[in-house]
Amino acid sequence: MKTSFVLATAVGLASAFPGMAGINMKEEGMKMLKERHDAEQQEKRQLGDVLDGVGDLVGGLLDDVKGLLGSVASAVDPDNKRPEPGYEFQAPKKGDSRGPCPALNTLANHGYLPRDGYVSFDQILEATARGFNMGADLATVLGVFTTLTDANITEQSWYLGSSPEHLGGLNRHDTVEADISPNREDYYLGCGDNHHLSSRLFKQNVALAAQNPSKEFDFETMGNQFAMNADFSLKNNPFIYYFPFPSIVSVVAYNFYPQFFSNGTFGAGGVANYESISSILGAKLNKKTGEFQYVPERFPDNWYRRATPYGAVQALTEGFTGIYPYNPVPMPIPQIGTDNFSPQTLLCDIYNGINSITPLALGGALEQTGDTISWAVQKLIDVGLDATTLGCPKNSISPNFKLYPNKKQKGGPLRLPRSQYRWTGSNKYNRVYFTEAPTQPMCKHVSKP
Ligand code: HEM
Ligand SMILES: *[C@@H]1O[C@H](CO)[C@@H](O)[C@H](O)[C@H]1NC(C)=O
Ligand SMILES: *[C@@H]1O[C@H](CO)[C@@H](O)[C@H](O)[C@H]1NC(C)=O
């Protein structure tokens, strides 16, 4: 029911894009956030029940997984079968860079992106569309921020994990990579390991899917996963740094499970089933130990990508109406909780926030950032995300609002202690990570890389 509301709204919004005039989730979206807030106590109790249930269910992990098997899409378009001939799976070789994004790792393992994991902005745009049907505006927003914060700006290229010197790449914390991820631990709680699949988190995710009548990794399952992960991080992570851009990414990553990893188009006959999700995530159940081993990500056999592009407006709308209300973690986005909150104001924030990420650019590149900011703004304009098209109100950003406030605070993106250094390298596969929840920012409970 929640899902159908979200989809109906989102489809309406998406088809109105790029005009966007009058688009506002003020009415329905805000009402929903408020109802959610009012129902918080009630919700907490329900979440408590869910948690208790999960405790039991994890014990019966094998049964859970069995209960999730066998659902297939009721409608798929043969043209959308992936991988296409010539894009066969190959496990990454030593030295190939892989990191926190399961989708980009999958694309590299199938040769849609360079197999060594050093990728350019243009390659990302093409590969995410071809492999998963990500809309150009959404891929541009992600790619622009990544280029500015995690990339070699001269080459407009970055590592999917980290560079050989552990510098930048998608593993870099709090630039695009964020806390409260669906199936990765927080940077500090994981002792710098924010990029390997966490066995205990995926066990929780499987248990939530198993007790959902749909048996799918749909919005309800992923919303509950978000609620539980957010509770955990708020309780245990003293360095939680939930600031606008990366936090927006971490919220919408939850909708990416149903919307991108489904077999076929989610909501139009597609299913977010265990077969698809576990394969693209690289989660392989060890039936003896009951833990998930992290193996190289791959497209499942007989898998069909979504048939229509999934773009920025729909992603933001669904993230902030379908996932975030399950546990509205405070975020310094000034419009949250006001009538001005909408996907449009978020996009305006993102657009206007480009300037405030300048100090986050990777070392050595500062002299180029003036040019690079112009490059970034032009990329956003190219896909219709400019202030005029968006109709950004001049006062959409409060005078004190910066996209990365307190970036030098302990735990912020410019103040990462070195103790985690050895855990920040690119992915190592065929191991199990995090059988237990890391409840303190310490390294001794994390096995050595
Ligand atoms: C367009 C360029 C992209 C960039 C730069 C990018 C980057 C990232 C980064 C930095 C993370 C870590 C976020 C976190 O800490 O929560 C991430 C996670 C994720 N990304 Fe991507 N991504 C891109 C495209 C995609 C696409 C096309 C998909 C889906 C088809 C996708 C699906 C996901 C999911 C589901 C996660 C969460 C993983 C988890 O913790 O379970 N991404 N991505
Ligand atoms: C996807 O759905 C199609 C059509 O029902 C089915 O043949 C195929 O086995 C499914 N694949 C996966 C990975 O679920
Ligand atoms: C970035 O690329 C340029 C041009 O290829 C190269 O000269 C420079 O060393 C690279 N910077 C880093 C930090 O790798």
Side-chain angles (χ1 to χ4, degrees), residues 365-408:
L366 279 179
E367 63 284 359
Q368 302 154 342
T369 46
D371 289 351
T372 313
I373 297 289
S374 321
W375 169 86
V377 167
Q378 187 57 48
K379 287 290 173 201
L380 294 174
I381 290 173
D382 289 348
V383 289
L385 300 179
D386 57 294
T388 318
T389 317
L390 290 169
C392 301
K394 289 224 164 47
N395 60 353
S396 69
I397 302 208
S398 77
N400 295 326
F401 176 62
K402 298 247 171 54
L403 200 64
Y404 285 82
N406 308 325
K407 50 191 158 279
K408 289 188 187 161

Side-chain angles (χ1 to χ4, degrees), residues 43-57 207-208 211 224-225 228:
E43 203 59 42
K44 281 248 149 75
R45 273 197 301 278
Q46 283 169 2
L47 192 62
D49 296 344
V50 169
L51 274 162
D52 291 346
V54 166
D56 301 341
L57 283 164
L208 290 170
Q211 66 169 34
N224 281 322
Q225 179 80 349
M228 292 181 69

Side-chain angles (χ1 to χ4, degrees), residues 315-328:
L316 289 171
T317 306
E318 292 183 358
F320 282 87
T321 57
I323 300 290
Y324 186 66
Y326 276 80
N327 197 343

Side-chain angles (χ1 to χ4, degrees), residues 271 336 381 409:
V271 283
I336 281 189
I381 290 173
Q409 85 182 16

